[in-house]
Amino acid sequence: GEASNARDALAKSLYTRLFDYIVMRINQSIPFSESRYYIGVLDIAGFEYFTVNSFEQFCINYCNEKLQQFFNQRILKDEQELYVKEGLGVKNVSFVDNQDCIDLIESKQTGIFSLLDEESKLPKPNYQHFTDQIFHNNGQHFRIALPRKSKLKEHREIRDHDGFLIRHFAGAVCYQTKHFIEKNNDALHASLEAIVQECKNPFICEIFMTGEESSQKQGKLNFISVGSKFKKQLSELMLKLRSTGTNFIRCIKPNVKMIAHLFESPSVMSQLQCAGMTSVLELMQQGFPSRAPFSELYSMYKQFLPPNLARLDPRLFCKALFKALGLDDNDFQFGMTKVFFRPGKFAEFDQMMRADPENLRVLIEKVKKWLICSRWRKAQWCALEVIKLKNKIIYRREALVCIQKNLRMSLAMRQHRPRYQGLRSINMLGSQVDKILEMGGNLKGGRSVLEQSIDTLKQNIDKAVNTIKTCEKIKKSEIDKIYKSLVDQINKELVGVKRKIEQERIAEEQEKLRKLQQEMEEEKKRKHEEEMLRRRMEEDKVLKQEMEKQRKMEEEEERRLEREERDKNQAEALQKQLEEANSRYAALQQQIEQERRDHELALRLAAESGGAVEDLVIKTQRLSIDQGSLGRGSPDGEPAVNGVVGSQAGKKTT
């Protein structure tokens, strides 16, 4: 890797020095030492945009940015500044300024070239660290972006620290920084320089001896990189271009297939817009691309004019000439020092001036006629202006009288307005004094003292009014002082009257309050007596209700005891009947059991002897029981149950 880099560096150095030697020999072959007038042709590479863009494309596109800025400066900015300076009033045409993109590339410390040189000076330069430094120093810049923001899929796959995207005037280009550092460094190793200087070919030794001293002083920290050389040479070229007259030829690629007579309109229009040609065409349509100074036109056509016309002022000469030729006012416009022509109109003017002599004599007659008419119109305008000036003087004289009148009125107003205002304000205080007197009319005591104070106030007011009326030079501050003194007296008296009225009102309120409290105490006593009477009546009523309730309870208790006694007697009677029924039922059961046993014995005897036996029949009349007695029997109902069981047993036995 290092051997290959050394070989490439040697090849580049040999090519560079050979190229510089050829240029030097060509310059030496020119027969004169200094060229003041020459024609130079600058052919540059177009804007380059490939799938893989490296250091070469970056330098070429940087050069295009600088030339595009020069084009905008020379064709658009300088032209419009000239229109403004000459006062033509041409509409301003906007264009895209790419100065920010140039600053991004060539500015010190933060520019891409500066960052690349700083990275190359490090002991172990790395292109990824260089890319990170670009985004760290210019991350917020509009012209720079990450590769993943590109429109091409191939560029979006580039990692963030492997490249960067710059928005040039012609479009965004994504650069891969992998070989930037290697291509930026073309310094030869010391051993290679020593070998070249020991070469037996004198021509090789000669071209390498030119930069021997500078190369010996160079080191890792002060080497001259390719980017620095390119930027320096480009700056020198731009200085030379700015010091010369420049004409531009913009080349447009008609199609991407490289086929003749095939124009792709979108592509062509896009190239024109990117190159700023649309703004140039708009400026040419609105502006005046051809121009000539008045003195130059005068010198150019002076020889065709008679002596009486040749003595004219250059500006008047040009104006008379254009009017005589009958040129349309829209085809030209006069500036401060030059006359400007629409596209193609200067050629028509020149052709008319260089026509045959007969036509020139007719033209001269038209110029004389226009000059006479112009002078006559100037005389008319002068007379009209004199009349206007006379009328203006008369108007100003009348206006001066009006101004003096208003000024005197203003001075008088300024002097007497404070007096009028003071008198009006003091007279208004009289109504306040009357209101105080009206308020004090309701006082029960101290009325005579109030009337004396009111009379004193009125006398002071009259005295102040007389003082203001008699003294014309009185100042506004003195009037304000008098007015303030009167207002203080009135306010003091008003406060005293209000205080007395308030005291009387408080005394009346206290008397009313005392009477009201007395009435409230009497009312409270009356209500207390009524309340006591009502409570006694309610207690008597409650006592009567309790006595009636006690009586009813006693009667109810007596009825309950009687009821319990009667129920007890009935229960004893029923118990007695039940006992009798149970005894009869037990006897009957015993009888039935005996008959059953006798029947069973008879059945056994009959079975042994072979005789017959009557069926066992239990007479119902013997089993009947008094229903009333059974119904009132014991709660468990044993007699009825036993009777039923016995009946069932009898049937079963039968």
Side-chain angles (χ1 to χ4, degrees), residues 30 41 74 139 212 365 578:
I30 298 176
V41 179
R74 183 60 60 91
E212 181 178 0
E365 293 297 328
L578 182 60

Side-chain angles (χ1 to χ4, degrees), residues 29 59 61 82 111 131 164 173 187 212 238 281 287-288 375 390 421 445 458 468 488 501 507-508 513 539 566:
S29 65
C59 293
N61 292 338
L82 177 62
T131 308
F164 58 90
V173 180
E212 181 178 0
M238 299 308 299
L281 294 175
F288 303 87
R375 289 167 181 170
K390 184 195 71 171
Q421 292 178 348
K458 289 183 177 180
I468 295 174
D488 292 339
I501 293 173
E508 292 177 358
L513 183 61
E539 289 176 357
R566 186 172 58 251

Side-chain angles (χ1 to χ4, degrees), residues 395-410:
Y395 168 76
R396 288 185 177 181
R397 183 176 59 190
E398 295 175 354
L400 182 60
V401 174
C402 182
I403 291 172
Q404 291 175 353
K405 178 182 68 176
N406 292 329
L407 182 59
R408 292 192 185 98
M409 181 183 68
S410 176

